[in-house]
Amino acid sequence: MIENNNKTIEIMQNLIEKINKASYEYYVLDNPTMSDKEWDKLYYELLDLEKETGIVLENSPSKKVGGEVLAGFKKVNHTKKLMSLGKAQTIDEILDWNTRNQNIFSFNEEYTIEYKFDGLSLAITYENGKLVQAATRGNGDIGEDVTEQVKTIRTVPLEIDYKGLVVVQGEGIIKLSELEKYNNQTDEKLKNARNAVAGAIRNLDPKVTAKRKLDFFAYNINYCPDHEFKSQVEIFDFLKKQGFLTGKFFHIVHSIEEIQDLINKTDKVRSSLDYLIDGMVIKINSLDIRNRLGETEKVPRWAVAYKFEAEETSTTLESITWQVGRTGKITPVAELEPTELCGVTIKRATLNNYNDIQRKKVKIGDRVFIRRSNDVIPEILSVAETYTTSKVIDKPTHCPCCGSELIDTETELYCPNHLGCRTQIVLKLVQFSSRNAMNIDGLSVKTLEQLYDKFNTKTFSDLYKLTAENLAELDGFKTKKINNILLGIEKSRHVKLANFIFALGIDGIGVKTAKQLAKHYKTIQNLQKASILELIELDDIAEITATDIHNFFADEINRIELNDLLENFITFEETSAESGTGYFAGKKVVLTGTLSSMPRSKAEEIIESQGGSTSSSVTGATDIVIAGESAGSKLDKAKKLGIFVMNEEEFLSHIK
């Protein structure tokens, strides 16, 4: 028994060393070498051993509330301890939390639920209406004086109306859009949003803080001796009245089922937010009930933090595969040591281009941070650790498909062999056949590769020359499959103009832009004649896209192919006249956030069917902004410009 205990203690000590080392690198050095997911795995493994044995070693991180205080800052004793929250990773753990509280005494279940922001926790003290001190949480009792740094945060009021002593608790964050702007303007890239905030606030030079354009979300009154609050709702109302940013997501709920529903909905949309959240905070609304429940040595009983599964982890970059795109663009794909993330085994991740590799200083053999949001292919964020055995990634000089010498534009690499590069040709045919284009079912990548290899099928018009005999020669093709493809090809001869424009595969033209061009120009001939200046005048078409459109139609080979299609194979459906009778007729509309009743694309179709037009950006010409759940910067801009904003319920009332 003693021997087993000794072995367990040895395992626990090893876990503690790893956790504390990673915490020191993250909190003190602002240089994380371990992802949240890896840290959580080690931490919960340690907690399980502590529960199993009843032994808690002196240096265990489970005894701590936060990180160490930096020596370079003045220490601050918090007036009232800044408590950490108990954590839950499943809805069952939230049920257990609620049951434990109800066992202490029975109370009416009324909770508030809000985002758990992922930044740096701060406590800001006001006296006589003026900001007198700001401090990090530190270890809960003692933090770091970061008053001058916090004063630079744009959403922290320097003065408030309330004249009593009050300590406001909240989270310093950086919006992801601001992080991207910052990284585009500097050679030293910031690893991630969380690290960017910590590095800005815990920097001795407040000018560094100011440059990063941080924000502050307030979520609690930690100390206010002269004002009695009755509920979390009252606290939020007070914070808003004093000019603090509190976040738009704040709900009152009366059951665990409601909590679960909001957690599930938020998990689906959190990757679309302009800031990081890593969970949800559930609090008992009544402060009277909170006071009666009290707190343990480390956490309040009246609140719990539900943590989402981490979207980031780290793994080894084993090699780089260079892929050829439809337009000839050469893109690096990272081949990774397989790792689990968001319930999926990840083997590959994106790197935008060779400049992205250089900017992130990525080498083969490095351990790298990767992120996966929803079903999007993961991306490499930064290097966690590099080694002496790591190898520099060489820039390719020739196309991996056809061997042609690449064109280097300094920002991108391109294969110029558009008429002879097998991969480019096949991918163009895939786009042409896709559902939002000509909608020819059955023409997969593998099928089109066989057609290219056997019959030299290269152009769009070649598809309309295929016969049943041709298709019968392909591997795995039976009568039914052959007939379905030939039927699809035949149906595609009569097509909407918007679908045809998208099918052409012009660089920068998506489904929405294709619809806009079709609506404006009415015929393909009119679009062919459009000048760059005319195209730029349309909403959402920048000079680069306008140039790409103009150059496509100016190219002689494209003109020959287009004439062949129009003369021999394609006719267009007549566009039905706009009724102009709907609520949105003649109005320019922008949708932002997530609609619970339908996909955004469906909402756009409805607006356009009523004679309205949709755009992806808010400008002075915008008539209406429809704001769904988690609407962000577009909503803020609409309010500043005085544009009419309607919620989802109002939108639905106008389309019934």
Side-chain angles (χ1 to χ4, degrees):
M1 183 71 177
I2 294 174
E3 185 179 345
N4 287 338
N5 264 350
N6 287 339
K7 285 182 180 178
T8 303
I9 289 172
E10 186 177 338
I11 293 170
M12 291 166 68
Q13 285 173 333
N14 185 41
L15 287 169
I16 290 168
E17 283 179 17
K18 290 180 180 178
I19 293 167
N20 287 343
K21 178 177 180 290
S23 296
Y24 174 78
E25 289 165 340
Y26 176 78
Y27 289 108
V28 179
L29 301 182
D30 289 332
N31 183 37
T33 59
M34 184 181 290
S35 69
D36 286 355
K37 182 177 181 179
E38 292 165 302
W39 195 95
D40 286 347
K41 184 175 182 295
L42 296 176
Y43 184 73
Y44 284 109
E45 188 177 338
L46 175 64
L47 288 185
D48 288 342
L49 289 173
E50 289 178 350
K51 288 177 185 176
E52 183 183 319
T53 62
I55 299 170
V56 180
L57 300 177
E58 191 59 34
N59 61 339
S60 172
S62 65
K63 287 188 171 184
K64 293 185 178 182
V65 176
E68 297 294 330
V69 176
L70 286 177
F73 286 93
K74 176 185 172 183
K75 293 181 180 179
V76 172
N77 289 301
H78 293 300
T79 306
K80 180 182 176 184
K81 184 170 184 173
L82 299 180
M83 300 291 286
S84 180
L85 294 180
K87 293 178 177 58
Q89 293 184 302
T90 65
I91 200 69
D92 286 340
E93 289 178 3
I94 294 177
L95 282 166
D96 290 343
W97 164 76
N98 186 55
T99 301
R100 287 195 301 272
N101 286 335
Q102 291 286 350
N103 286 340
I104 295 174
F105 69 89
S106 181
F107 57 88
N108 291 329
E109 295 183 354
E110 182 173 86
Y111 311 97
T112 61
I113 182 167
E114 58 202 78
Y115 288 154
K116 184 177 180 296
F117 297 104
D118 195 4
L120 186 69
S121 184
L122 298 167
I124 306 176
T125 303
Y126 290 83
E127 283 188 80
N128 298 318
K130 297 185 184 298
L131 191 161
V132 295
Q133 186 180 79
T136 62
R137 186 175 67 183
N139 62 15
D141 294 309
I142 301 172
E144 305 151 352
D145 188 336
V146 289
T147 306
E148 296 308 312
Q149 287 81 357
V150 167
K151 281 182 177 180
T152 71
I153 300 177
R154 54 193 174 180
T155 43
V156 171
L158 298 179
E159 294 187 22
I160 60 175
D161 291 337
Y162 182 72
K163 302 306 178 188
L165 175 63
V166 60
V167 180
V168 176
Q169 188 178 358
E171 200 85 357
I173 64 108
I174 183 171
K175 290 183 178 178
L176 301 180
S177 54
E178 291 294 346
L179 177 62
E180 183 179 7
K181 288 178 189 175
Y182 182 90
N183 278 342
N184 287 337
Q185 297 167 359
T186 182
D187 293 330
E188 285 296 320
K189 310 300 178 186
L190 301 172
K191 286 188 175 182
N192 54 50
R194 192 187 315 106
N195 192 239
V197 175
I201 293 175
R202 305 170 86 184
N203 193 296
L204 293 173
D205 184 359
K207 291 178 184 176
V208 173
T209 317
K211 284 180 181 177
R212 297 192 188 176
K213 297 183 178 178
L214 307 184
D215 282 296
F216 175 77
F217 283 104
Y219 51 71
N220 188 38
I221 299 296
N222 197 55
Y223 184 68
C224 189
D226 300 325
H227 187 91
E228 184 178 348
F229 295 96
K230 294 182 179 180
S231 67
Q232 182 67 23
V233 172
E234 277 193 19
I235 289 174
F236 258 56
D237 287 342
F238 175 86
L239 290 169
K240 288 177 183 177
K241 286 177 182 177
Q242 302 308 313
F244 289 97
L245 195 63
T246 58
K248 298 181 180 68
F249 188 96
F250 181 79
H251 294 273
I252 300 171
V253 294
H254 297 86
S255 69
I256 303 302
E257 289 75 21
E258 287 181 80
I259 291 171
Q260 183 173 17
D261 182 56
L262 287 170
I263 285 173
N264 292 341
K265 286 181 178 177
T266 302
D267 198 13
K268 291 177 182 177
V269 302
R270 62 180 168 126
S271 61
S272 66
L273 299 176
D274 196 23
Y275 42 78
L276 295 181
I277 63 170
D278 60 356
M280 311 286 281
V281 177
I282 300 101
K283 301 174 184 176
I284 292 172
N285 189 31
S286 166
L287 265 67
D288 177 58
I289 295 174
R290 291 186 191 183
N291 292 333
R292 292 172 66 188
L293 286 172
E295 55 201 36
T296 69
E297 184 182 347
K298 293 183 293 183
V299 300
R301 291 191 177 94
W302 46 265
V304 66
Y306 177 89
K307 289 201 72 176
F308 292 124
E309 184 177 359
E311 292 185 314
E312 294 181 16
T313 189
S314 69
T315 188
T316 301
L317 172 60
E318 296 184 331
S319 64
I320 292 289
T321 298
W322 294 93
Q323 290 190 340
V324 188
R326 174 174 51 83
T327 63
K329 181 180 173 182
I330 308 297
T331 306
V333 177
E335 307 291 345
L336 306 169
E337 179 182 341
T339 185
E340 292 295 314
L341 184 60
C342 298
V344 176
T345 300
I346 305 299
K347 298 178 182 179
R348 311 180 97 194
T350 59
L351 284 159
N352 295 321
N353 48 38
Y354 188 73
N355 287 349
D356 196 27
I357 291 172
Q358 289 187 307
R359 184 168 59 251
K360 293 173 180 175
K361 299 177 181 178
V362 178
K363 297 178 183 176
I364 293 171
D366 285 350
R367 190 159 62 85
V368 294
F369 286 117
I370 60 171
R371 176 174 63 198
R372 180 178 186 268
S373 300
N374 294 338
D375 295 325
V376 179
I377 185 170
E379 63 172 321
I380 289 181
L381 298 175
S382 59
V383 174
E385 287 188 276
T386 191
Y387 308 97
T388 55
T389 54
S390 297
K391 297 178 182 178
V392 173
I393 299 168
D394 295 324
K395 182 188 285 190
T397 57
H398 291 78
C399 176
C401 174
C402 66
S404 298
E405 187 172 349
L406 299 179
I407 295 173
D408 188 347
T409 67
E410 294 187 359
T411 56
E412 304 290 353
L413 296 168
Y414 286 94
C415 170
N417 186 19
H418 302 308
L419 302 178
C421 183
R422 178 178 183 265
T423 301
Q424 286 187 62
I425 291 167
V426 168
L427 292 178
K428 285 176 183 175
L429 295 175
V430 168
Q431 161 117 352
F432 186 82
S433 309
S434 64
R435 183 173 60 85
N436 289 316
M438 307 304 282
N439 195 23
I440 306 173
D441 192 31
L443 290 182
S444 64
V445 172
K446 288 184 178 179
T447 297
L448 289 165
E449 284 176 341
Q450 288 191 69
L451 288 170
Y452 177 91
D453 294 337
K454 284 182 178 291
F455 306 111
N456 200 30
T457 302
K458 288 185 174 183
T459 67
F460 302 145
S461 54
D462 285 341
L463 295 176
Y464 293 95
K465 300 168 188 174
L466 291 173
T467 64
E469 290 74 22
N470 294 147
L471 294 173
E473 292 188 39
L474 303 184
D475 295 338
F477 272 68
K478 304 289 184 183
T479 303
K480 185 177 179 180
K481 190 172 184 179
I482 292 169
N483 289 338
N484 284 341
I485 289 178
L486 291 175
L487 179 61
I489 291 172
E490 188 61 32
K491 284 182 177 179
S492 75
R493 289 172 179 267
H494 194 55
V495 66
K496 290 180 180 178
L497 177 58
N499 293 66
F500 184 74
I501 293 171
F502 176 67
L504 294 175
I506 304 170
D507 206 11
I509 301 301
V511 173
K512 187 171 182 179
T513 305
K515 286 181 181 179
Q516 183 185 7
L517 292 170
K519 184 176 180 180
H520 183 82
Y521 286 103
K522 311 297 183 188
T523 70
I524 193 69
Q525 289 80 10
N526 289 340
L527 179 57
Q528 282 180 277
K529 298 172 188 174
S531 68
I532 294 174
L533 290 176
E534 289 173 354
L535 290 162
I536 291 173
E537 290 179 2
L538 300 179
D539 289 343
D540 297 334
I541 295 188
E543 185 175 352
I544 293 175
T545 304
T547 303
D548 287 335
I549 295 170
H550 181 269
N551 290 346
F552 178 88
F553 290 114
D555 183 88
E556 185 179 356
I557 293 171
N558 289 339
R559 285 205 306 269
I560 293 170
E561 169 67 4
L562 193 57
N563 288 338
D564 190 10
L565 285 171
L566 298 178
E567 289 176 9
N568 300 303
F569 305 110
I570 300 297
T571 59
F572 294 108
E573 295 179 14
E574 288 189 20
T575 305
S576 58
E578 293 175 3
S579 63
T581 58
Y583 176 84
F584 296 101
K587 295 184 174 71
K588 293 184 178 180
V589 184
V590 173
L591 290 109
T592 182
T594 303
L595 301 179
S596 60
S597 58
M598 68 184 76
R600 194 185 297 183
S601 58
K602 178 65 176 175
E604 289 175 348
E605 284 180 17
I606 293 171
I607 292 166
E608 289 165 5
S609 71
Q610 289 194 5
S613 61
T614 59
S615 173
S616 61
S617 58
V618 176
T619 68
T622 303
D623 295 303
I624 300 171
V625 168
I626 298 170
E629 190 72 43
S630 304
S633 58
K634 292 178 186 178
L635 176 60
D636 295 336
K637 187 173 181 180
K639 289 178 178 177
K640 286 180 182 178
L641 294 174
I643 294 167
F644 176 60
V645 176
M646 67 169 60
N647 59 30
E648 184 173 359
E649 186 178 348
E650 291 169 318
F651 167 64
L652 293 174
S653 71
H654 289 300
I655 64 175
K656 289 179 180 177

